[in-house]
Amino acid sequence: MTEPSAMPSNFIYDAVRADVEQGKRDGRVQTRFPPEPNGYLHIGHAKAIVVDFGVAADFGGICVLRLDDTNPETEETSFVESIVADIEWLGYQPADVRYASDYFQQLYDWAERLIEKGVAYVDDQDGAAISAGRGGFGKPGVNSPYRDRSVEENLELFRRMRAGEFAEGSRVLRAKIDMAHENMQMRDPVMYRIRKVAHHRTGDQWPIYPNYDWAHGQSDAIEGVTHSLCTLEFESHRPLYDWFLQQLEVEDAPRQYEFARLELTHTVTSKRRLAKLVMDGVVDGWDDARMPTLRGLRRRGYPAAAIRNFCREVGTTRTNSRQSIEALESYVRRELNTTSQRRMAVLHPLKLRLTNWPVDERGEPVVEYFEVANNPERPEDGTRQVPFTGELWIEQDDFREVPPPKYFRLSPGREVRLRGAFFVTATDVVKNDDGEVIEVLATYDPESRGGNAADGRRVKSTMHWVSAPHAVPLKAALYERLFTAEAPGEATGEALDDLNPDSRKVVDGWAEPALVDATPGEVVQFERLGYFATDLDQVMLFHRTVGLRDEWAAIQKRNG
Ligand code: ATP
Ligand code: MG
């Protein structure tokens, strides 16, 4: 049980706290996270996971993972496995893993009970007729001609549906509530459909499958869920959720609470749209580093702790809104700043040659080794040796033959610091036949070893570098937003219209030798460039997780 002062403050916590204080359901708290195993989890699901598991943990209760597997057409075991693994990666351990399909028999028995009570009936209308009969907003529906069948006839037909005697789409079981109800969900909702499709767990055992509304609340009740937390689109389903439990006379019935979905700028969080990006080959797969799936974010280098903190701290409300992706990025940066090792890498290389660099007795250039802190924020991470010679790689951006105003980096005649090494002054350039600078010539000051001049003179710029003969090659994937628009699809109704065609650029660069020790998934800070995640599969491929500049702070300042 978390200290009340350390708990988030929101309407869900208020409701749960009140129940616990009043000793409802013996003060027990049990939640569930109920994904449909038809795709990979995304950042929106992370929000639901943090709420579901967080509430349970904060009140000393438990949270169960329930796979909501009532749609056999779209569900697969491989999705189940990925969901279980991704929840664990995010840092949560379900108290149990359950499946709605575990309850198919109980749900069936309960459906018979509703038929016996006269509050459910078999309807022979097809889907189109049922849909037309439901009416619309402000327009009452009409009763099905089959609504007043006898209990005996309904029972017989329902049993024959279950026995597989009828064709798909020929009959459904419906709850008998009120075709004129102001809430469309209450207009005799469908409870069962005939589907002659094999299920990934129950195989061919069932030719009928329960609908979401019939499966969900009853599964909650079977498991002993106390607080069923879901997103706002289910608000209008709540009266139905309660109605079913009332009809079944469930004691201590679970209660449903709805909160706003998490949406992010420049991001889509709909499985259907994400699936389309994969199908169309816009991205490499569900785990592409540009995808907002947990697998994508992980490959990109987002720490699970940053995602958890963000989801917890953006708050849980009942108002839909879009959070800035820059806010999430600032949680990522904050986390990585303390955890990641610093390395030097050059991603747009330009050769820098020190013309006064000494050679040894054999005529070979001297090699100096500088001892550099792995992470100045964490002395316990130790230091490493970084080699330095007279032939170096620097960033193309760090040199201008003709410097524009306020450009303080290297240019002919200008002195700068090579971080932790020496002061250097550019003297000349070497050009190719097209007139492009391919090499910068410079002299170094031997009296500035370690990056500080003996006479105390100052320079305006410090640049990173890599010793060319020691450099290891790397590939870096540089990312821009996958969608150019803040609210993808807002203008045209189709999010994919706002795709950024240049969301990834892969460059070849050079890094200091220590980078080869980076382990798959490890995120390192390339000095001055940003945080980069070591690919999970490909050696020496690095994904730019996020840049160093806190754009979120700038946005907040701008907005006052
Ligand atoms: P999608 O719309 O991406 O297909 P879904 O809601 O159909 O998602 P489910 O597998 O049914 O996906 O969702 C499991 C749980 O995650 C549900 O409780 C749902 O409310 C929650 N959830 C899904 N998307 C979000 C989101 N963007 N923000 C918060 N919770 C979400
Ligand atoms: Mg859903």
Side-chain angles (χ1 to χ4, degrees), residues 81-274:
E81 288 161 3
S82 76
I83 288 169
V84 170
D86 288 353
I87 291 173
E88 189 176 332
W89 174 76
L90 195 57
Y92 296 96
Q93 194 59 53
D96 201 356
V97 180
R98 300 291 198 90
Y99 298 82
S101 57
D102 291 341
Y103 314 132
F104 281 174
Q105 185 62 45
Q106 172 78 73
L107 293 171
Y108 176 85
D109 294 342
W110 270 344
E112 284 206 354
R113 194 194 296 176
L114 295 198
I115 293 173
E116 282 161 0
K117 283 184 77 166
V119 294
Y121 63 99
V122 173
D123 194 340
D124 298 0
Q125 296 182 107
D126 63 16
I130 289 177
S131 181
R134 289 178 76 220
F137 288 106
K139 178 173 172 269
V142 292
N143 286 354
S144 162
Y146 303 95
R147 199 173 194 263
D148 294 319
R149 276 179 158 148
S150 68
V151 167
E152 292 68 35
E153 191 185 3
N154 278 320
L155 261 187
E156 190 215 313
L157 286 172
F158 186 50
R159 286 173 183 167
R160 290 174 64 193
M161 276 170 67
R162 195 265 170 267
E165 288 183 30
F166 304 128
E168 277 197 21
S170 61
R171 288 186 167 83
V172 294
L173 183 73
R174 298 177 75 176
K176 192 171 178 176
I177 309 179
D178 179 359
M179 289 306 289
H181 203 288
E182 59 176 14
N183 181 340
M184 298 285 288
Q185 309 289 347
M186 300 295 273
R187 295 187 185 174
D188 291 11
V190 172
M191 296 168 63
Y192 276 95
R193 283 175 212 285
I194 301 172
R195 279 260 172 281
K196 306 217 167 150
V197 181
H199 184 280
H200 71 111
R201 291 186 78 242
T202 59
D204 294 324
Q205 258 175 282
W206 292 89
I208 55 173
Y209 289 95
N211 270 25
Y212 170 87
D213 288 302
W214 173 240
H216 199 84
Q218 286 39 257
S219 301
D220 284 347
I222 292 167
E223 290 172 358
V225 166
T226 57
H227 300 83
S228 185
L229 313 176
C230 62
T231 35
L232 276 178
E233 69 269 28
F234 295 106
E235 184 176 14
S236 65
H237 297 238
R238 193 186 339 134
L240 180 56
Y241 183 101
D242 292 338
W243 187 89
F244 280 135
L245 293 170
Q246 244 162 30
Q247 294 299 324
L248 293 171
E249 292 161 46
V250 167
E251 265 179 54
D252 278 347
R255 292 288 310 272
Q256 176 180 299
Y257 299 86
E258 310 87 20
F259 59 93
R261 290 173 77 86
L262 171 69
E263 301 292 347
L264 286 176
T265 56
H266 303 286
T267 306
V268 303
T269 52
S270 131
K271 272 184 259 180
R272 186 178 59 78
R273 293 221 165 82
L274 295 176

Side-chain angles (χ1 to χ4, degrees), residues 350-352 394-418 423-429 437 439-443 459-463:
L350 174 63
K351 189 63 77 63
L352 175 70
I394 60 169
E395 294 289 345
Q396 290 168 15
D397 265 357
D398 283 340
F399 176 80
R400 285 285 175 278
E401 194 180 6
V402 182
K406 296 199 176 152
Y407 184 89
F408 298 118
R409 290 173 264 171
L410 200 58
S411 58
R414 171 86 51 78
E415 186 171 55
V416 300
R417 174 188 292 112
L418 295 182
F423 279 20
V424 298
T425 304
T427 52
D428 206 352
V429 295
V437 175
E439 197 169 300
V440 177
L441 304 181
T443 56
V459 286
K460 284 201 167 146
S461 173
T462 299
M463 301 168 13

Side-chain angles (χ1 to χ4, degrees), residues 495-517:
L496 300 180
D497 291 344
D498 290 319
L499 262 182
N500 176 2
D502 297 312
S503 55
R504 178 174 65 187
K505 193 172 133 204
V506 180
V507 297
D508 288 290
W510 296 103
E512 60 168 288
L515 194 62
V516 298
D517 298 330

Side-chain angles (χ1 to χ4, degrees), residues 317-504:
T317 67
R318 284 181 53 84
T319 316
N320 281 316
S321 69
R322 213 174 259 278
Q323 304 291 331
S324 289
I325 181 94
E326 290 86 357
L328 171 57
E329 287 176 340
S330 85
Y331 281 86
V332 169
R333 203 177 283 114
R334 200 176 309 165
E335 188 71 23
L336 293 176
N337 185 39
T338 52
T339 58
S340 68
Q341 309 269 292
R342 274 49 167 175
R343 295 288 181 265
M344 287 198 283
V346 171
L347 299 185
H348 299 93
L350 174 63
K351 189 63 77 63
L352 175 70
R353 191 180 298 280
L354 305 181
T355 50
N356 61 339
W357 187 254
V359 292
D360 64 16
E361 319 79 72
R362 289 168 307 167
E364 300 287 333
V366 166
V367 178
E368 290 251 9
Y369 287 89
F370 290 107
E371 181 139 342
V372 179
N374 283 323
N375 183 349
E377 307 274 324
R378 267 208 323 208
E380 66 268 32
D381 283 356
T383 59
R384 68 190 187 284
Q385 302 282 324
V386 184
F388 184 99
T389 63
E391 195 190 334
L392 302 148
W393 293 113
I394 60 169
E395 294 289 345
Q396 290 168 15
D397 265 357
D398 283 340
F399 176 80
R400 285 285 175 278
E401 194 180 6
V402 182
K406 296 199 176 152
Y407 184 89
F408 298 118
R409 290 173 264 171
L410 200 58
S411 58
R414 171 86 51 78
E415 186 171 55
V416 300
R417 174 188 292 112
L418 295 182
R419 172 166 287 184
F422 290 104
F423 279 20
V424 298
T425 304
T427 52
D428 206 352
V429 295
V430 179
K431 294 185 178 178
N432 64 12
D433 293 344
D434 296 331
E436 293 160 349
V437 175
I438 52 168
E439 197 169 300
V440 177
L441 304 181
T443 56
Y444 84 108
D445 172 9
E447 301 297 306
S448 63
R449 178 172 283 100
N452 290 302
D455 63 6
R457 77 182 181 281
R458 312 269 287 252
V459 286
K460 284 201 167 146
S461 173
T462 299
M463 301 168 13
H464 63 279
W465 49 270
V466 171
S467 164
H470 302 95
V472 291
L474 67 90
K475 283 193 186 298
L478 307 178
Y479 297 107
E480 301 295 335
R481 306 286 178 220
L482 186 53
F483 294 92
T484 49
E486 279 204 354
E490 200 173 49
T492 64
E494 181 42 74
L496 300 180
D497 291 344
D498 290 319
L499 262 182
N500 176 2
D502 297 312
S503 55
R504 178 174 65 187

